[in-house]
Amino acid sequence: MKSLDCMIFDVDGTLADTERDGHRVAFNRAFADAGLSRRWDVATYGELLAVTGGKERIRRDIALGNMPAMDDDAIARLHAAKTAHYQRLIAEGAIPLRPGVMRLLEECVAAGVTLAIATTTTPAALDALIRHVMGEAWFDRFAVLAAGDIVSAKKPAPDIYTYALERLGIAADRALAVEDSANGLRSARAAGLECIVTVNGYTERQRFDGAALVVSGLGEPGGEAVRVLADPHHLAPFSCVDLPLLRRLERG
Ligand code: XBP
Ligand code: MG
């Protein structure tokens, strides 16, 4: 990375732990509403996360024979019902941001580092998280919100990051991606970006070859110690992931 002019954040699992208690629960509520008997328990959902995108995930479970056959319109309707449940869960305050996320975002704003989002999730789900968890003002603080079906190939394909970079009008070597999963890391790297990874319960045992740093979380100054899982640039020791630390990846 030549210079850290921009940070591009993934959403699910990175900004907030939305998968287990947000998306998964919303899928199950939509399945129940539709009279389907299928429920995704925590472990099953972890396996299905290998497929990014909610509609794609349903399609995979159908292909596995776990749900009745449905055409694309029926899948889209089921997924729209899921998104509505997800929006309600988020509006009810079910999911907070992960520790250190708001701190690092605010550091970027204060330092004039451009912020962007690159996510597989549906725009309506992203909107709910910004509106109810981050606050309305954050809609204007992200220069680009790249989400969902705006590209046809979802992560691990590079398309959503390439799209975000094009919209930002900046080169990949002037931005840093923040991800939580191997699929997200592959997507960012394939778009030419350096990428740091903050793992969570669903992703901590994945492989993160090519990551610039892998940590258990961003951490807060004086808070619980951050576990460093991979540190090829020898940034440790540090108490939390902040902008001065990430600037050490410049010209690396
Ligand atoms: C996120 C996803 C999404 C969410 C559900 O991946 O895979 O499918 O689980 O979102 P990433 P939708 O964090 O790598 O972007 O149901 O809205 O598709
Ligand atoms: Mg993610």
Side-chain angles (χ1 to χ4, degrees):
M1 182 173 58
K2 274 197 193 134
S3 62
L4 209 178
D5 300 347
C6 173
M7 288 194 68
I8 311 179
F9 285 80
D10 169 52
V11 173
D12 296 308
T14 300
L15 294 185
D17 260 325
T18 49
E19 294 291 9
R20 193 190 69 181
D21 300 327
H23 290 295
R24 184 185 68 87
V25 173
F27 279 113
N28 285 336
R29 289 184 179 173
F31 298 163
D33 291 348
L36 297 165
S37 60
R38 181 63 166 156
R39 299 290 179 272
W40 287 344
D41 62 28
V42 171
T44 302
Y45 191 68
E47 288 162 22
L48 287 167
L49 280 174
V51 180
T52 59
K55 293 187 288 293
E56 293 80 354
R57 197 165 295 142
I58 293 170
R59 206 168 288 129
R60 163 63 68 88
D61 212 33
I62 292 170
L64 290 171
N66 296 319
M67 294 174 75
M70 269 175 256
D71 62 21
D72 284 352
D73 285 349
I75 291 175
R77 280 196 301 276
L78 184 58
H79 185 256
K82 172 263 167 178
T83 299
H85 276 297
Y86 180 81
Q87 288 178 300
R88 273 193 288 278
L89 281 166
I90 294 296
E92 286 162 6
I95 319 256
L97 293 182
R98 292 185 65 183
V101 166
M102 186 50 79
R103 171 191 54 75
L104 181 58
L105 289 170
E106 283 175 343
E107 281 179 50
C108 289
V109 171
V113 173
T114 301
L115 292 171
I117 293 285
T119 177
T120 293
T121 213
T122 304
L126 172 60
D127 277 16
L129 194 80
I130 295 177
R131 189 176 313 280
H132 299 293
V133 184
M134 305 182 75
E136 296 271 350
W138 284 90
F139 282 109
D140 297 328
R141 293 184 189 151
F142 291 104
V144 169
L145 298 175
D149 295 327
I150 199 144
V151 293
S152 54
K154 293 187 174 169
K155 300 175 187 177
D159 303 36
I160 196 72
Y161 277 104
T162 304
Y163 172 85
L165 288 168
E166 280 169 12
R167 288 280 315 277
L168 287 161
I170 66 156
D173 60 4
R174 296 190 179 275
L176 178 67
V178 186
E179 275 286 352
D180 71 301
S181 70
N183 276 332
L185 170 67
R186 280 174 61 196
S187 173
R189 296 295 286 147
L193 288 154
E194 289 288 350
C195 180
I196 65 164
V197 177
T198 64
V199 299
N200 56 59
Y202 272 134
T203 66
E204 63 192 353
R205 280 174 294 279
Q206 296 179 348
R207 289 187 60 99
F208 296 110
D209 301 330
L213 179 68
V214 182
V215 285
S216 58
L218 297 174
E220 295 283 25
E224 200 182 317
V226 168
R227 268 185 306 124
V228 180
L229 307 176
D231 183 19
H233 297 277
H234 309 291
L235 301 178
F238 52 84
S239 62
C240 70
V241 177
D242 58 12
L243 211 44
L245 182 88
L246 297 176
R247 287 219 182 276
R248 289 169 55 197
L249 297 170
E250 292 179 324
R251 288 169 294 276

